[in-house]
Amino acid sequence: NTLTKKENVIAALKSIELRSNNPTINMPQFVLGSLVFEWLIAEYGFDAFKKLIYNQSLNINFEENLKLSLGITKDRLYDLSSEHIIQAFKFPLPR
């Protein structure tokens, strides 16, 4: 119910990021992360996503990888993908 505004979505993504070092991932983290990468593939293409995955082997952090692979910052990724996340939660989920 809280993912109806861009600011809330971005705050949720940043909160998840802070907990991402935890080896146990919960369902909300998985769903939001999946939606971010779903948007990324739709906007930048599968080849850009593959480049992002490939560049993980360079042993650089996610922010640096985004800049190198796609030319955007993590904050920009969150900002741009937030509307897609809002749209995904506009309709009630099936039970």
Side-chain angles (χ1 to χ4, degrees), residues 29-58:
Q29 287 173 302
F30 179 77
V31 169
L32 290 179
S34 296
L35 288 168
V36 168
F37 286 105
E38 180 178 272
W39 175 87
L40 185 144
I41 292 168
E43 290 296 315
Y44 285 85
F46 194 68
D47 285 340
F49 177 70
K50 286 181 5 184
K51 185 175 183 180
L52 186 70
I53 298 301
Y54 174 79
N55 284 340
Q56 288 178 10
S57 67
L58 299 176

Side-chain angles (χ1 to χ4, degrees), residues 1 91-95:
N1 291 336
F91 302 100
L93 297 174
R95 293 180 186 230

Side-chain angles (χ1 to χ4, degrees), residues 80-95:
L80 293 171
S81 64
S82 63
E83 187 59 36
H84 177 64
I85 294 169
I86 291 168
Q87 292 302 315
F89 287 100
K90 275 198 171 183
F91 302 100
L93 297 174
R95 293 180 186 230

